[in-house]
Amino acid sequence: MILIYVTNNNNDIKGLCKNVFVVILSEDYRINNTTHHTDQNGLDRLIVRRGLPFTITLHLRSGSQFEAGVSTFRLIVEIGPLPKEQSGTKSTFSLTDSALKTAWSVSTNSPPGNVVSLSVSSPPDVPIGLYSLTLDQGQKVKLGEFVLLFNPWCAKDAVYMEEERDRQEYVLSQAGLIYKGTTKRIKASPWTFGQFEPGMLDICLKLLDENPKYSSDADADCSGRRNPVYVTRVISAMINSNDDKGVLVGNWSGDYDDGVRPSHWTESVAILHQWADNCCQRVRYGQCWVFAAVACTVSRALGIPCRVVTNFGSAHDTNSNLLIEFLYDEDGNDISDDSVWNFHVWVDNWMARPDLDAGYDGWQASDPTPQEKSEGVFCCGPVPLKAIKEGELNLKYDAPFVFAEVNADVVEYVKLTNGRMVKMGGSSIDVGHFISTKAVGSDERHDITHLYKHPEGSLQEREVFERAKHHHELQQKGEEPGLKVKIKVSPDMDIGADFDVFAVTNNTEADKTCRVMFYARIVSYDGKPGANCGFIEDLTMEVPTGKGQVSFVLLRAIYSISQKHGIVNQKLSAQISLQNPLPEPLQNCFFSVIGAGLTDGKILIQNVGTVGPKQEVKYTVEFTPTSTGSRTLTVDFDSDKLSNIKGYLNIEIKE
C-alpha cells in the first residue's frame, strides 16, 4: 500500500483539483508485495506482478473531500526512456467503476471523505520492468516508481503455472541442485540462485537495459518485454559476453589465472554483483552449468518459471546436419569439429507459445552457453520440448541444434593422407541420456528424458529421426568376427576403490597373442582431451577368448555437515567436516560457505591450512538467519590437490 498525502494550495477548493501537489510522507508495501508474492525482495518499495491489482491510498488535506463521480483525475504509467501509447510503453487512464482485464485501469469503492483507496490494475500482457506512476489533474505530479514482473499466479499471463508447488520450486526457491558427471556417475552439486537477495532484482533489470536491442531502439525493446519468449532470448544472449556487455566469459582451456575457475562458483549472487558493480565488465570465468545457473536466477527474478537441466552424453553439432562426425587422422589424433560432452547444462523456461501452432505451450529449452549463433547472436532458444521430442525442427527457436544435443547420431571416420575418408563405425544410441533436473519439493533427481525424446532405439525415436529429415541415418550393426578392443568399466566401480577394465575380446576361433599399450587421459566434461594420467606400454597378453585387465584408482572426499534447525535473527552454528582420502597432505585448504537468507548475501571463507593424509578436518561456521522457511547452506572445499568438493544442508528456519 502506498500512502500518499495530498495537500491543497486553495482552502476553498474541495476534493482533487489541478492545484493539488503531492508529497509522499510514508510508504507501506507489505500488503501489496505479500499479495503479489514479491515480499522476499523486501518491503521498502512496490514490486508487483502483472494481471493483479495493487492498492494506492491517498490522504487529502483536512477539509478536502473525495467524492466518486464528482472528483476526477487520470493516472499515467510509463516504462523506458521514450514511452509511447502506440507501443504499449505508456498508458493514460481515468477512474472507472471496476477493474478492467485488458487495459490499465483504476477504481475505488471509497466513501466520500479525505482518504481515498485506489485499486490499480494492469493487463496480464503488458511489458515488465521499472514503471513511473504519475497523477494528472491538468497538472502532472509524479507519485513514484514500481517494478512490474511476470505473474505465474495469473491464469491470463503467458507464464502461468497451475500448481502452487511448481511455482514454489521454479519461481520462489532460491537454492537448487545441478547435475554433473557421466551417465554412470551422476552427481548433484548445490547452487544458490539467490534471486531475492539484496540488489538482485535491480541487476536483472539492468541486464535487460544493457542488451544491444535496447541501445538500438529502447522503446521497441521495452515493448518486447511483454513477451517471455523475447525476454528469454535476451537473457540467453546477455548471460554470455560474446556479442555484448554480457555477464560471463566462457573458458574451457584449464587456464584461469586471471579469473575464477568455473568449478569454484557456487552461487549466482557474487557473479551478478561483480558484473554490475564493475560497470558491466564481463566476469571471468564460466562453463555451461554457471551460464545456466545465472540464467535461472535472472529468469526467476523476473517471474519466468525456470529449471536447470543437465543432458548426459550431450552432442555439439557444429554444421547442423544432425550428425556428430568424429574425424581422426591416421595417427589417431582427433581432428573433429563436432563433439559429445560428458554432460551439458541449460535451462527450461515455462511459458505459452502463441507465436506457434497450438500444442507447444509449456517447457521451452534455452541455452545461454555460447556455442553456435542464432540470428547472428550467441544465444539459443526458447524451443518447445514437444518440438524436440517430435522432430519438428522448423519451429522457433534453434530446434535443430537442441535436437542434435539430445538425439544426434554418431559416425566415425579416418582421414587418410591421400584425403580419402574411411568410415570406421558409429552409433545411434550414444547421445542424450538421463536428462536431469531437481525434483519439485525435494532433493531427488527427476529424470525428464521422456519429455525430450522417445525411448532410445525405439521405433518412435527412429521415426522422429526421419521426420527430422536426417539424411545420414546409420544402422546399428552387430560385431563382425575379429579381434576387438573395447573399454567396458565394471558395473561395481566406486570412487575410492580399484576397478577392472575389460579391454580385449577375441571373436576368432584361434588363440591370439597381443601386444597392447594402455594409456589414460583426462577428459573434460565437454569431450576435450587433456593430459595423460596413466600409461602401460608393451603389455603382452594371451587372449584365447578372454579379456585383458587394467586398473585405475579414483578418489573420494567425504563431507559431513551438522545442524538442521534454527530461529530467525538468532545466531546459528554448523559444523562442517571433511576427510582427506589421499595418502598425502593437502595444502592451502579452505572452505567457502554461503546460503540465501542465512549468510546475508556474503561468502564466508575459512582457511584451514594443511590437512594430513587420511586426516579429518572440522570447521564451525557461525551465521545469523535473516528469513524463515527452508534454506540451503552450500559448502565448497578447495586445496592444491583436491578442488570443487561441494556439500549442502537444508536448514529449517522458524520464527
Side-chain angles (χ1 to χ4, degrees), residues 191 247-272 274-275 278 281-291 294 590 592 603 605 636 638 643-644 646:
W191 190 275
V247 178
L248 280 159
V249 181
N251 186 345
W252 289 263
S253 70
D255 181 6
Y256 312 109
D257 289 344
D258 59 341
V260 176
R261 182 180 295 272
S263 60
H264 284 183
W265 298 114
T266 59
E267 47 104 16
S268 304
V269 177
I271 294 171
L272 289 168
Q274 183 176 327
W275 175 77
N278 290 281
Q281 294 295 310
R282 52 189 190 166
V283 178
R284 304 172 187 268
Y285 289 104
Q287 291 180 3
C288 68
W289 67 91
V290 186
F291 288 108
V294 176
F590 65 91
S592 302
I603 301 176
I605 299 176
D636 180 55
D638 283 285
S643 62
N644 192 28
K646 293 179 170 60

Side-chain angles (χ1 to χ4, degrees), residues 390-630:
E390 301 303 332
E392 301 291 347
L393 304 192
N394 61 328
L395 300 182
K396 299 181 293 187
Y397 289 91
D398 310 305
F401 185 80
V402 179
F403 180 87
E405 287 185 303
V406 301
N407 213 13
D409 281 0
V410 175
V411 62
E412 297 176 332
Y413 295 98
V414 172
K415 185 176 183 179
L416 305 180
T417 53
N418 62 7
R420 181 167 165 253
M421 306 283 287
V422 179
K423 179 181 171 183
M424 298 298 294
S427 171
S428 63
I429 61 172
D430 284 353
V431 169
H433 298 282
F434 301 106
I435 303 176
S436 304
T437 190
K438 178 186 175 297
V440 174
S442 78
D443 290 341
E444 299 299 317
R445 183 181 71 87
H446 181 37
D447 194 303
I448 57 172
T449 309
H450 63 286
L451 299 181
Y452 274 88
K453 60 194 297 186
H454 293 284
E456 192 65 74
S458 67
L459 179 61
Q460 285 177 304
E461 186 261 346
R462 289 291 90 190
E463 288 176 348
V464 166
F465 216 61
E466 288 291 338
R467 190 179 305 128
K469 303 185 187 309
H470 182 1
H471 302 298
H472 306 284
E473 181 178 352
L474 302 175
Q475 299 296 326
Q476 188 175 7
K477 298 180 179 179
E479 291 187 350
E480 299 177 358
L483 196 65
K484 302 293 182 181
V485 178
K486 184 177 182 181
I487 303 297
K488 181 181 179 182
V489 178
S490 57
D492 58 348
M493 180 189 72
D494 191 18
I495 291 179
D498 294 352
F499 63 91
D500 294 327
V501 177
F502 307 113
V504 183
T505 303
N506 183 3
N507 286 339
T508 69
E509 296 180 357
D511 294 348
K512 299 290 184 180
T513 300
C514 303
R515 177 178 168 270
V516 183
M517 179 181 70
F518 285 100
Y519 72 96
R521 298 179 70 179
I522 297 171
V523 179
S524 61
Y525 80 96
D526 61 353
K528 302 300 182 184
N532 291 345
C533 60
F535 185 76
I536 302 176
E537 189 176 14
D538 290 333
L539 175 64
T540 301
M541 58 176 61
E542 301 294 330
V543 190
T545 57
K547 302 161 184 177
Q549 297 182 353
V550 66
S551 295
F552 301 92
V553 177
L554 300 180
L555 300 171
R556 170 175 56 187
I558 303 172
Y559 258 128
S560 175
I561 309 175
S562 64
Q563 188 61 279
K564 296 184 179 180
H565 303 281
I567 299 175
V568 68
N569 297 323
Q570 292 189 16
K571 185 175 291 186
L572 186 64
S573 64
Q575 188 177 81
I576 303 163
S577 64
L578 180 138
Q579 182 180 351
N580 175 11
L582 299 178
E584 53 187 300
L586 303 177
Q587 308 289 341
N588 303 321
C589 303
F590 65 91
F591 290 99
S592 302
V593 181
I594 192 170
L598 296 176
T599 62
D600 196 27
K602 301 181 179 66
I603 301 176
L604 309 180
I605 299 176
Q606 177 66 39
N607 192 327
V608 293
T610 300
V611 180
K614 305 294 183 180
Q615 180 182 344
E616 183 181 42
V617 60
K618 294 183 178 180
Y619 161 51
T620 299
V621 59
E622 293 186 344
F623 49 91
T624 302
T626 57
S627 56
T628 59
S630 180

